[in-house]
Amino acid sequence: MCGISGIYCLDARAGIDGAMLERMTGLIKHRGPDDEGYLDIHRGEARHYRGNDSISEFDNLPSLPQKLAATLAFGFRRLSILDLSAAGHQPMSDNKHGLHIVFNGEIYNHVELREELKALGYEFVSGSDTEVILKAYHAWKDACLQRFNGIWAFALWDAEAGRLFCARDRFGVKPFYYKVIGKKLVFGSEIKQLVDADDQKDLNLPMLLRGMKINGMLAYGEETYFKNIKALRPGHFLSVNNGKIETKEYYTLDPETFESSKLSFEDAAQRYRELFLDAVRLQLRADIEVGSCLSGGLDSSAIVSAASSMTEKPLKTFSAWFGEVPALDERKWIKEVCRSAGCVSHLVSPSAAAAMADFSDAAFYNDLPLGAGFAAQHAVMKLAQAQGIKVLLDGQGSDELSGGYRHAQYRYFADLIRRGELKTLPSQLGSYLAGKNAADKVSSLIKIALSGIFSERKLYGYELKHLRFDPFVPHFTLKALKSSQGNIFTEIKDFAPGKLSSFLYNMIYTTSLQTLLHYEDRMSMAAGIESRVPFLDHRLVELVFSLPSSYKIKPPQGKLIHRAAMQSIVPEAIFKRTDKSIFGAPFHQLWMRNQLKDEIGSLFTDHVFRGRGIWNLPLINARWQSYLKGDNSQAEMLFNILSAEIWFRRMIDQTIK
């Protein structure tokens, strides 16, 4: 839920620009359309202010001054989900303990924590999870983060310690960005807020190169597309004492535990199922109606089936379909799930024209160049918004946990070879290669060999170099590589337990999931919807990483433990599916060479594109002409160029507003 903003003076003598804070907060109105609020700290005293959209209970508060004689100021936009009353208003203060907070997210186990804190003598005046964070911090200080089950990004002022304490959830579901402008720390939920703060748009060239060449790396460590804006990493907190900014890791998956479990496969599947069902139970907690996205695949079907069994009224589901591409038309399977679970299905089929018309606005909400799937995701969120839904469950994460991607199979085989487990190799390799043509068999064997020989960092280096053509002029690419000091993949890790565990760890933290979660948050919050992801309950993630590789992959089948755990939850027809396509839209398969051909062709040749100074115009034109003649080999890169150019026009060329 919600969106936050803040300005902290690293030099106590500096004042705060109230107009800038109000503007930053206004840029994320979409994240919190229900309420608005402000707070500042001056000489130890907290002062609250109303905004134009504050609920009527706060009409008695003064408006935010244009200039603030203060050391710290918070801005907040609320999406009301828990305790819909004025008691849930933020910024929230606990004056007894000198604590003040702005918080975006949900603490799913707030009910249990509230009872634990009550037993310690704490009293509560609201039913919100925000107040639980305040009391938990007072009781346990930084260690409170270890007790939370949820998604969060918050900034908390501890008056007694004179400390600003900011934290982000374990896997980065909720965003937190910050930058230093002069002697001020400025932070917020979205990148656009910080770009607006001083209108500095110096690009981080390695990020642009990585993001263009490898789709899953638009969110990468603490880097963003702008040089001076940093992301607080997942599982980290930021602390400011006496003007000194420090970040510290409080949680990460522990490689020492990878593949260490002694559970039998059956017991592991049972434990997986128990944790998943408990995650769904916790994430259904809300004082408003909760719905779910539904694609017709195993993951979202499991969430819908589980949630439906726990709700009193029929669950509303939201789905996109595209009749032009059979693989992207899942209505048959969606209908089967909804029939079995007793859901109310809502469907939308975005057109090429509608998707193109939404492109610029979606890029603004996203802060980064979009992936082709935005057309479906954006439409689904708007559909749910029209139905009055503010919370959706979604299935992100299961592929990254248990080996759902093709490249996971290469690492699995590499592990067998590296460990000398050769007895089963011929039969498993035969199962994996069965049905492939000769070229695909050779390609798969080469990729298995490369996976065994090279480090993960080296493998991604080869992908950067060879997977897609370089759309940039040579001097731009050289400058990007030089500014990264030759270490463009420093975030990629290798761990002793094996290639597969290393691959999945990188998928969680660097090469896939962080970008998907970025899209998930921005597209949902653009519609005033909070998206929750049960498969990323940290207990479930830790369990799966502790399991042997053989529990995850049995060639050619991936996600073995996941499938076993979900079998009793989903309809039989869904469990037996073998034709599931990835979530997406037919942008580069179909629309770009048909309905949108003229519009995109004009963009690739207009004076703005040609004057950008970074594009390799002859090469892009040649690839575009080949694509129009039916060559799909570089279709994704052509879409990436289109997406980046639209992002440039909305986020770089224009004033952000």
Side-chain angles (χ1 to χ4, degrees), residues 268-288:
Q270 175 64 24
R271 182 60 179 155
Y272 188 118
R273 183 163 47 251
E274 291 170 353
L275 289 174
F276 166 72
L277 291 173
D278 194 53
V280 173
R281 177 186 67 85
L282 288 175
Q283 295 189 31
L284 283 169
R285 286 178 170 171
D287 292 335
I288 56 175

Side-chain angles (χ1 to χ4, degrees), residues 444-656:
S444 296
L445 291 172
I446 290 172
K447 290 173 181 176
I448 290 169
L450 293 174
S451 297
I453 295 169
F454 296 115
S455 68
E456 287 296 300
R457 189 178 298 177
K458 194 81 169 179
L459 290 170
Y460 280 99
Y462 281 121
E463 186 169 342
L464 182 85
K465 188 174 182 179
H466 298 295
L467 179 63
R468 298 184 176 122
F469 76 92
D470 188 347
F472 300 114
V473 290
H475 71 81
F476 177 92
T477 301
L478 289 173
K479 187 176 180 180
L481 292 171
K482 184 178 180 180
S483 63
S484 70
Q485 299 178 330
N487 296 313
I488 200 165
F489 292 117
T490 53
E491 295 292 323
I492 306 295
K493 304 290 194 302
D494 278 273
F495 298 110
K499 298 293 295 186
L500 179 61
S501 287
S502 298
F503 176 73
L504 298 178
Y505 178 95
N506 289 321
M507 294 283 277
I508 291 286
Y509 285 113
T510 308
T511 64
S512 172
L513 185 64
Q514 293 305 307
T515 294
L516 294 175
L517 290 175
H518 179 100
Y519 291 150
E520 186 81 21
D521 174 80
R522 299 312 189 280
M523 292 299 98
S524 62
M525 294 306 290
I529 292 172
E530 176 182 275
S531 182
R532 300 178 177 181
V533 281
F535 288 115
L536 292 180
D537 183 298
H538 69 280
R539 301 168 299 168
L540 182 57
V541 176
E542 290 164 5
L543 170 70
V544 178
F545 269 85
S546 77
L547 300 176
S549 294
S550 60
Y551 286 17
K552 300 163 193 172
I553 292 178
K554 183 179 180 181
Q557 182 68 62
K559 301 170 68 172
L560 197 64
I561 192 71
H562 174 72
R563 291 180 59 80
M566 298 299 104
Q567 183 173 5
S568 63
I569 297 175
V570 301
E572 183 178 7
I574 300 298
F575 178 76
K576 290 182 175 180
R577 280 194 70 183
T578 59
D579 62 339
K580 181 69 177 81
S581 177
I582 63 171
F583 177 81
F587 238 105
H588 44 75
Q589 302 105 309
L590 187 68
W591 290 347
M592 291 193 341
R593 69 160 56 90
N594 292 291
Q595 298 99 313
L596 304 179
K597 177 181 67 173
D598 293 341
E599 190 170 354
I600 295 172
S602 294
L603 182 145
F604 283 165
T605 56
D606 71 19
H607 72 281
V608 177
F609 185 79
R610 299 180 69 84
R612 184 72 58 198
I614 64 172
W615 302 122
N616 187 329
L617 300 174
L619 181 57
I620 290 171
N621 181 62
R623 297 291 188 174
W624 173 245
Q625 296 305 320
S626 295
Y627 167 78
L628 293 178
K629 295 174 182 176
D631 179 6
N632 282 328
S633 62
Q634 295 296 325
E636 282 189 277
M637 177 52 81
L638 289 168
F639 175 85
N640 288 353
I641 296 166
L642 168 68
S643 182
E645 180 60 27
I646 289 175
W647 176 79
F648 271 116
R649 296 181 186 204
R650 184 60 186 268
M651 298 297 292
I652 305 299
D653 298 350
Q654 299 180 26
T655 299
I656 291 178

Side-chain angles (χ1 to χ4, degrees), residues 192 356-367 370 374 378 523 526 646 650:
K192 64 177 68 65
M356 199 66 187
D358 286 342
F359 214 138
S360 178
D361 284 348
F364 168 79
Y365 289 123
N366 195 56
D367 284 331
L370 291 156
F374 92 87
H378 190 51
M523 292 299 98
I646 289 175
R650 184 60 186 268

